[in-house]
Amino acid sequence: MQTPRPYRPASEDDPRSDYAGYKSTALRAPKRPLVPIPQTLSEITGPVYGHEMIRPTDHDLTRQHEGEAIGERIIVAGRVLDEDGRPVPNTLVEIWQANAAGRYVHALDQHPAPLDPNFSGAGRVVTDEEGRYRFLSVKPGPYPWRNHHNAWRPAHIHFSLFGPSFLTRLVTQMYFPGDPFFPYDPIFQSVTDEKAQQRMISRFDIDLTEPEWATGYVFDIVLRGRTATPMEDHA
């Protein structure tokens, strides 16, 4: 039996763990070289994590509660691909995000923006045989984060991808085209290659957009290779 590869090692296009502009990285970045730990076959081929817990409404963040979420409806869809452009099926894709006012449902988020009782800001799907996923949500708002004077995060959605086990997890962020906060955001700028930055930005798609209902954005996620999507965490 051939041992499957982990999704990929860290790439030079991934954000640095100790990026100076992102102040909290100074406290949590490794101070010594990382020590690789060999993974056994059972660790990377164990039971798929969480796939069986998907509910029919988990892809629709606007209708997970009694009322409908407030904000601009968006469809976010794309494919999970390997370095050769082949689809990666049966991948658990999870997202979390702020609401339309730029606030998370989290005790530590004290941004004085309103919470939406009908929006908890998280969803999950499993990619199909063509590696496709699709979410319905609301466009998140930018929010202040106190990293520096007048610091605001661009609107973004967090993505987490699980392969055949918990040890094959990747995390990234998806941004929206034309955001004015890109030049001022050290998290976005920690990916220093401009072409790699573009791979974190979704693409507006009029064909994905549904008339009188929701605007559509395409975000393909490439796991390896020269066109890989920058990742901020590798499990």
Side-chain angles (χ1 to χ4, degrees), residues 137-215:
S137 188
V138 297
K139 189 173 183 180
Y143 57 83
W145 65 301
R146 300 179 180 178
N147 181 76
H148 53 277
H149 173 68
N150 208 9
W152 290 79
R153 293 282 355 258
H156 62 279
I157 297 177
H158 299 267
F159 274 73
S160 167
L161 299 94
F162 284 100
S165 76
F166 189 79
L167 293 179
T168 53
R169 186 192 188 207
L170 297 172
V171 178
T172 189
Q173 296 184 29
M174 183 204 91
Y175 298 89
F176 295 86
D179 196 300
F181 288 114
F182 286 155
Y184 311 105
D185 180 48
I187 295 181
F188 180 81
Q189 293 296 331
S190 67
V191 176
T192 55
D193 182 81
E194 186 175 350
K195 291 183 179 179
Q197 290 177 350
Q198 294 302 311
R199 299 198 290 270
M200 299 188 295
I201 302 173
S202 60
R203 171 175 56 85
F204 171 74
D205 192 317
I206 192 64
D207 294 324
L208 182 61
T209 297
E210 295 188 3
E212 302 180 37
W213 182 247
T215 55

Side-chain angles (χ1 to χ4, degrees), residues 72-138:
E72 175 192 343
R73 292 188 199 93
I74 60 172
I75 299 165
V76 177
R79 302 177 72 197
V80 179
L81 305 167
D82 69 11
E83 64 267 44
D84 296 316
R86 296 173 298 195
V88 183
N90 202 38
T91 298
L92 176 62
V93 182
E94 298 179 320
I95 64 170
W96 66 97
Q97 63 170 90
N99 66 18
R103 187 168 179 182
Y104 289 97
V105 182
H106 195 285
L108 295 180
D109 189 345
Q110 298 300 310
H111 174 33
L115 287 170
D116 182 350
N118 295 312
F119 189 75
S120 54
R124 49 181 16 202
V125 297
V126 173
T127 58
D128 66 11
E129 291 302 311
E130 295 299 321
R132 293 174 299 203
Y133 73 87
R134 179 185 174 102
F135 290 100
L136 181 64
S137 188
V138 297

